[in-house]
Amino acid sequence: MKTLTALLSLCMLTGIYSYGQSNSGTMNASINKTFSVEKNGTEFPYHVKVMEHRNYPIDLENKNKNMVNKDRENKAAQVVKLIAVDSNNDSNYEHYMVLKYYKTVTDSFKVVPTDKGFAVKVDDKTMEYFVDEGIYFINNKDQDFFMIEEFKEIG
């Protein structure tokens, strides 16, 4: 019994120590918005859900290699946002996009309505989504900032 207790204690301490020594921090958030788009003189609502995950890499400066208290090297966070669009006002989302970019902690992320859908604005960069067509558009100057992967509901 003592051996089992000692083994479990050792495993727990190892797990807690390795968790505390991880090289990144994370943050998760979620946004739900309802907008409307006009088709043939009638307004149709649609829903946008944005789920966010940020990974903050933590690197230590090499100049403090042998010191106990080391300075951190600032690096941009990798931001990943899953954007789900429900365009026919049912309980299922029809279109999914994964939007990725690198940004600092203080970026300004907004989802704003447009005449044909919505726009995602991060500081001065814009990605526009057209609800009727189910497509997105990124200005040429912002192509290097956003990375997008698309998914559609099958069936």
Side-chain angles (χ1 to χ4, degrees):
M1 186 68 177
K2 286 183 182 180
T3 307
L4 181 60
T5 305
L7 184 61
L8 286 174
S9 297
L10 181 64
C11 289
M12 285 180 56
L13 286 174
T14 304
I16 291 170
Y17 177 76
S18 61
Y19 178 75
Q21 297 297 318
S22 66
N23 288 338
S24 67
T26 60
M27 181 186 86
N28 297 310
S30 182
I31 298 171
N32 289 309
K33 298 269 187 170
T34 300
F35 301 121
S36 62
V37 66
E38 187 176 322
K39 292 182 197 174
N40 301 327
T42 307
E43 293 213 0
F44 291 94
Y46 63 93
H47 304 283
V48 178
K49 183 175 186 175
V50 181
M51 293 166 278
E52 176 182 286
H53 175 80
R54 288 188 185 201
N55 186 18
Y56 297 100
I58 299 173
D59 284 340
L60 304 176
E61 292 183 358
N62 286 333
K63 68 180 182 180
N64 301 330
K65 186 175 182 180
N66 295 322
M67 296 178 71
V68 175
N69 294 325
K70 300 176 183 178
D71 292 331
R72 289 184 181 182
E73 186 177 306
N74 292 330
K75 288 197 169 190
Q78 180 185 28
V79 180
V80 179
K81 297 195 186 258
L82 174 65
I83 302 172
V85 181
D86 175 17
S87 57
N88 59 5
N89 206 19
D90 61 2
S91 61
N92 297 322
Y93 289 91
E94 289 79 36
H95 195 211
Y96 298 90
M97 293 178 288
V98 176
L99 177 71
K100 298 178 187 178
Y101 59 92
Y102 288 94
K103 195 61 182 162
T104 60
V105 177
T106 59
D107 68 353
S108 64
F109 176 84
K110 295 178 186 173
V111 179
V112 296
T114 63
D115 292 339
K116 296 181 180 183
F118 65 92
V120 172
K121 295 185 178 214
V122 178
D123 293 335
D124 61 342
K125 314 282 193 248
T126 303
M127 186 272 308
E128 193 169 350
Y129 181 79
F130 302 102
V131 174
D132 288 341
E133 292 85 18
I135 59 172
Y136 68 90
F137 174 76
I138 301 173
N139 292 330
N140 287 337
K141 65 180 177 114
D142 300 336
Q143 288 285 336
D144 293 337
F145 183 73
F146 293 115
M147 296 166 272
I148 296 182
E149 296 177 25
E150 288 186 272
F151 303 91
K152 292 195 178 194
E153 182 82 24
I154 298 177

